[in-house]
């Protein structure tokens, strides 16, 4: 299907004994793309990455990199380099020799070697670290050295297995931006593994959301967030309110659905086709719902807006925003609403059991096929 | 970077705190433990210390009171052809036994720690079994086989007999060494363009050198000291332990043997001490390879 993609993963499966770690995965990655594999623990991200690197071989299927079949290529012959989760800095070598490890066969003069290593050290902003050893580096510095070591020979593809997992939050956010800038600067295709959805959204051109050895959806961060194609993706990326519904009417890009006790909802269909009578899920992000203590004026109730009345069940104050949980008549799970605290918070712990009105636009609703 | 500035201070504080807390109630326990340790060491080493003591005693009788200081026994010992010959034989057996068993043990340990294979545990138990099967049984069994095949008994057969126990020890040392570092380090080398052999040479070997040295020294000592197998398979060329035992029949030879034993005692101590130093260096390595 994607024979001319830069990296083509062609119906690849991997079994460990009776465990199927990767299950008939097929997709392509474009040249120069920052591509992320995102999914919960054990879904096969590392296994897929290690097959790209050559540390594992597919049980079935084939991987092509830049048009070349990789089936019989050991790791040392592949045009890819990897940044390991543990960084795998050689503990007996200095930073200089770690970064220049792959230059042995180039037989460079000492001056030329030092110049190349020096350039990498500048790129990772650690000049002057040549003679340090692994145990004299902080976690963030090790991560950078591992990056420089993998980039020095300009591989066609850089593989990164949760490279930021071991860093504290602040450093991680800083490194996310640096890594993104670096990727643009060197123009190398990055395949990045993470189980942190925010990280994937921040950094990637495209993301493959994986689950149980398969991928559920491959899309840009915005599309994944705004237009997830299944309940699993919608629930894994960010949080989502789901309502069972049935399609009543479809017309010019919008649908009217009956959502049981909630009454009728209007939803944008986004180029998906639904037929009247079909059972669907209406999904709405918490931050796309507006909460109000006053009933809507009759003039608001027209057009594409959905209104629902409920009872405030709980409120969590997070500083910049608050999370409210609202019980709706006939709906089991309270609806989550996330509101920016632009003014001093209107609802607080005291507001429990108050009547509130929720509203959201028809564009905020994602209709998903019930499965 | 913030981590580097704060982390050492925090851990330093924690360390002094636990030390301060532990000190008062630990003191009385060290008293009882100390007495026990001294008694234990005395029980084990006091008899051994009589050997150097009497090796300098100016009398063929091993009895108190000491009659005077002499180094005569060391001189006669070094002039005794039998003794020097047996020492040479032992070195001839122990050197290749140490080298070959360390090589085999290293390869076996690498296979055990780095590859997935069915029946791995059975293989490991098999290689380790010489450590638990009594040497006398192995000795008899080997003697039967060697006779059946028709190989003449010689130092070579002793060397062969010493290989299994030495290899077991070597593998044991090398497994703990190889488990001490992250396999991803070797993968990183492959990823950076080096094949399996260059990876072994540039990464694995430098990291396991301390283990290799420890293994060479320990296996040498094991082979050098070994009595039972050497007596079954030694033929007409005695190794040192066998020669010493045979000399005990002649009372006038005893001081010479004591002189030799003293030298061996200190040489063995030195070897084992060095070997252990190398092994401990491995432990330090372990802490620096982690994240
Ligand atoms: N060497 C192996 N032998 C047997 N099973 C394995 C091996 N490696 C991975 N698996 C199994 O394959 C599945 C996928 O593992 P993988 O390491 O790819 O997950 P992951 O998505 O990277 O998870 P995490 O986020 O926890 O790193 C898991 O069920 C795991 O137990
Ligand atoms: Mg993983």
């Amino acid at each position: 299907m994607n024979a001319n993609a830069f990296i083509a993963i062609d119906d690849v499966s991997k079994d460990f004994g009776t465990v199927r770690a990767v299950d008939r995965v097929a997709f392509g990655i474009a040249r120069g793309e920052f591509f992320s594999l995102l999914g919960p623990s054990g879904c096969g991200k590392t296994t897929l990455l290690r097959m790209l690197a050559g540390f594992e071989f597919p049980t079935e299927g084939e991987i092509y990199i830049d048009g070349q079949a990789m089936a019989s290529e050991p790791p040392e012959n592949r045009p890819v380099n990897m940044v390991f989760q543990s960084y795998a800095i050689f503990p007996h070598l200095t930073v200089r020799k770690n970064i220049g490890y792959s230059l042995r066969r180039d037989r460079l003069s000492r001056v030329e070697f030092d110049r190349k290593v020096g350039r990498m050290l500048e790129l990772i902003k650690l000049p002057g670290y040549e003679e340090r050893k692994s145990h004299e580096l902080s976690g963030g510095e090790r991560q950078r050295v591992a990056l420089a070591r993998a980039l020095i020979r300009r591989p066609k593809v850089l593989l990164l297995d949760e490279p930021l997992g071991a860093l504290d939050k602040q450093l991680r956010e800083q490194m996310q931006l640096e890594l993104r800038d670096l990727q643009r600067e060197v123009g190398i295709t990055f395949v990045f593994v993470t189980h942190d959805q925010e990280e994937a959204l921040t950094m990637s051109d495209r993301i493959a959301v994986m689950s149980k050895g398969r991928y559920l959806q491959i899309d840009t961060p915005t599309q994944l967030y705004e237009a997830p194609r299944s309940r699993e993706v919608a629930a894994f990326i960010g949080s989502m309110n789901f309502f069972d519904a049935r399609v009543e009417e479809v017309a010019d890009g919008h649908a009217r659905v009956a959502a049981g006790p909630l009454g009728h909802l209007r939803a944008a269909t986004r180029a998906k086709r639904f037929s009247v009578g079909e059972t669907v899920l209406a999904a709405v992000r918490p931050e796309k719902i507006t909460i109000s203590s006053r009933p809507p004026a009759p003039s608001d109730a027209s057009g594409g807006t959905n209104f629902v009345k409920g009872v405030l069940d709980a409120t969590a104050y997070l500083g910049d925003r608050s999370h409210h949980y609202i019980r709706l008549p006939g709906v089991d799970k309270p609806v989550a609403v996330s509101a920016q605290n632009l003014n001093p918070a209107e609802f607080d712990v005291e507001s429990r059991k108050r009547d509130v009105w929720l509203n959201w636009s028809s564009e905020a609703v994602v209709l998903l096929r019930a499965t | 970077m913030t981590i580097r500035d704060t982390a050492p201070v925090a851990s330093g504080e924690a360390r002094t705190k636990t030390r301060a807390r532990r000190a008062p109630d630990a003191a009385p326990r060290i008293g009882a433990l100390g007495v026990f340790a001294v008694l234990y060491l005395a029980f084990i080493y006091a008899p051994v210390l009589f050997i150097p003591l009497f090796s300098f005693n100016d009398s063929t009788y091993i009895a108190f009171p000491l009659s005077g200081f002499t180094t005569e026994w060391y001189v006669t010992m070094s002039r005794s052809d039998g003794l020097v010959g047996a020492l040479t034989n032992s070195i001839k057996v122990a050197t290749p036994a140490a080298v070959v068993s360390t090589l085999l043990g290293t390869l076996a340990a690498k296979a055990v720690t780095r590859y997935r294979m069915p029946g791995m545990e059975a293989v490991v138990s098999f290689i380790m079994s010489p450590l638990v099967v009594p040497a006398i049984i192995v000795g008899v069994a080997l003697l039967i086989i060697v006779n059946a095949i028709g190989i003449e008994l010689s130092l070579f057969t002793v060397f062969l007999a010493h290989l299994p126990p030495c290899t077991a020890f070597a593998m044991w040392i090398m497994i703990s060494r190889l488990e001490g570092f992250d396999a991803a380090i070797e993968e990183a080398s492959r990823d950076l363009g080096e094949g399996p052999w260059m990876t072994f040479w540039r990464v694995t070997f430098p990291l396991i050198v301390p283990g290799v040295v420890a293994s060479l020294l320990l296996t040498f000592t094991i082979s050098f000291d070994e009595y039972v197998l050497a007596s079954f398979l030694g033929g007409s060329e005695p190794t040192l332990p066998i020669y010493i035992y045979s000399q005990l029949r002649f009372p006038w030879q005893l001081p010479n043997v004591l002189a030799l034993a003293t030298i061996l005692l200190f040489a063995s101590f030195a070897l084992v001490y060095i070997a252990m130093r190398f092994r401990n260096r491995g432990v330090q390595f372990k802490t620096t390879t982690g994240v």
Side-chain angles (χ1 to χ4, degrees), chain A residues 220-279:
Chain A
T220 61
T222 337
Q223 281 294 305
L224 279 179
Y225 192 80
E226 302 292 342
R229 281 209 296 266
S230 63
R231 182 184 184 130
E232 286 138 297
V233 173
F236 188 72
I237 311 262
S239 48
M240 189 69 109
N241 296 300
F242 295 102
F243 306 104
D244 295 319
R246 178 192 308 276
V247 179
E248 284 186 328
E249 189 188 308
V250 187
D252 51 278
H254 280 73
R256 197 172 57 140
V257 300
L262 292 186
H264 304 288
L265 298 177
R266 294 180 56 80
T269 52
R270 289 165 230 266
K272 272 192 276 186
R273 287 178 194 286
F274 293 95
S275 43
V276 174
E278 189 179 346
T279 332

Side-chain angles (χ1 to χ4, degrees), chain A residues 16 50 53 55-56 74-76 80-82 84-92 98 101-102 104-105 129 132 134-135 137-142 144 149-150 166 168 170-171, chain B residues 1-6 116 181-207 284-291:
Chain A
F16 292 109
R50 287 172 62 79
F55 299 125
E56 307 284 356
E76 58 267 28
V80 306
N81 282 133
M82 181 146 165
F84 290 80
Q85 186 163 14
S86 58
Y87 308 144
I89 305 290
F90 304 122
H92 59 301
N98 261 284
Y101 188 85
S102 59
R104 179 182 65 86
R105 277 172 305 171
Y129 274 57
R132 296 221 195 175
S134 161
H135 64 271
L137 300 174
S138 75
E141 289 163 351
R142 275 183 214 175
R144 290 165 203 235
R149 185 179 68 176
D168 66 44
Q170 216 177 344
L171 188 56
Chain B
M1 232 152 277
T2 47
I3 328 180
R4 276 210 297 142
D5 290 344
T6 57
R116 300 186 288 265
F181 73 86
D182 190 2
I185 291 176
E186 289 168 310
E187 288 180 343
S189 167
R190 297 290 300 275
D191 189 62
L192 293 166
E194 297 292 17
W197 289 108
M198 275 315 279
T199 293
F200 185 82
W201 178 242
R202 290 185 76 189
V203 174
T204 316
F205 187 68
L207 290 175
Q284 284 162 18
F285 247 124
K286 215 185 262 186
T287 59
T288 62
T289 51
V291 176

Side-chain angles (χ1 to χ4, degrees), chain A residues 1-278:
Chain A
M1 88 190 214
N2 36 55
N4 26 13
F6 184 58
I7 300 174
I9 296 166
D10 193 5
D11 268 337
V12 165
S13 299
K14 176 72 188 177
D15 295 334
F16 292 109
T18 55
V19 180
R20 176 149 276 213
V22 172
D23 188 16
R24 292 179 64 79
V25 166
F27 61 81
I29 299 173
R31 188 191 295 269
E33 200 171 19
F34 196 121
F35 191 93
S36 293
L37 300 171
L38 172 67
S41 188
C43 70
K45 309 180 294 288
T46 297
T47 307
L48 193 55
L49 202 69
R50 287 172 62 79
M51 287 194 283
L52 289 172
F55 299 125
E56 307 284 356
F57 290 87
T59 313
E60 285 160 34
E62 177 64 283
I63 292 171
Y64 301 89
I65 297 176
D66 204 7
Q68 300 239 277
M70 288 291 133
S72 55
E73 297 291 349
E76 58 267 28
N77 294 348
R78 297 192 181 202
V80 306
N81 282 133
M82 181 146 165
V83 175
F84 290 80
Q85 186 163 14
S86 58
Y87 308 144
I89 305 290
F90 304 122
H92 59 301
L93 300 178
T94 59
V95 164
R96 177 177 165 274
K97 289 192 170 163
N98 261 284
I99 294 180
Y101 188 85
S102 59
L103 301 179
R104 179 182 65 86
R105 277 172 305 171
D106 298 349
R107 304 197 175 283
L108 302 176
S109 67
R110 164 104 198 197
V111 176
E112 184 65 6
F113 182 94
D114 283 348
R115 204 175 54 79
K116 280 201 155 180
V117 171
R119 262 209 313 251
M120 291 317 288
L121 280 171
E122 249 155 58
L123 186 71
I124 58 166
K125 304 196 181 74
L126 290 180
Y129 274 57
E130 282 85 349
E131 297 312 318
R132 296 221 195 175
K133 284 208 173 171
S134 161
H135 64 271
E136 296 165 323
L137 300 174
S138 75
E141 289 163 351
R142 275 183 214 175
Q143 196 268 338
R144 290 165 203 235
V145 171
L147 200 61
R149 185 179 68 176
L151 283 173
I152 194 163
R153 286 181 66 104
R154 300 204 142 253
K156 289 180 180 168
V157 182
L158 188 73
L159 308 171
L160 305 101
D161 190 0
E162 308 205 23
L164 308 180
L167 308 181
D168 66 44
K169 188 171 182 301
Q170 216 177 344
L171 188 56
R172 190 160 70 225
E173 283 170 4
Q174 181 195 337
M175 287 305 299
Q176 285 172 4
L177 297 178
E178 283 189 19
L179 209 53
R180 185 70 244 230
D181 288 347
L182 185 87
Q183 192 262 341
R184 295 218 174 101
E185 204 175 316
V186 297
I188 290 171
T189 310
F190 276 31
V191 183
F192 184 91
V193 162
T194 179
H195 62 252
D196 180 337
Q197 38 133 337
E198 244 172 69
E199 191 166 284
L201 292 177
T202 316
M203 302 173 75
S204 322
D205 292 320
R206 284 196 306 154
I207 302 170
V209 180
M210 295 185 61
S211 168
K212 297 182 190 131
R214 302 178 138 261
Y215 67 87
L216 303 169
Q217 184 173 349
I218 298 180
D219 241 321
T220 61
T222 337
Q223 281 294 305
L224 279 179
Y225 192 80
E226 302 292 342
R229 281 209 296 266
S230 63
R231 182 184 184 130
E232 286 138 297
V233 173
F236 188 72
I237 311 262
S239 48
M240 189 69 109
N241 296 300
F242 295 102
F243 306 104
D244 295 319
R246 178 192 308 276
V247 179
E248 284 186 328
E249 189 188 308
V250 187
D252 51 278
H254 280 73
R256 197 172 57 140
V257 300
L262 292 186
H264 304 288
L265 298 177
R266 294 180 56 80
T269 52
R270 289 165 230 266
K272 272 192 276 186
R273 287 178 194 286
F274 293 95
S275 43
V276 174
E278 189 179 346

Side-chain angles (χ1 to χ4, degrees), chain B residues 102 105 135:
Chain B
T102 296

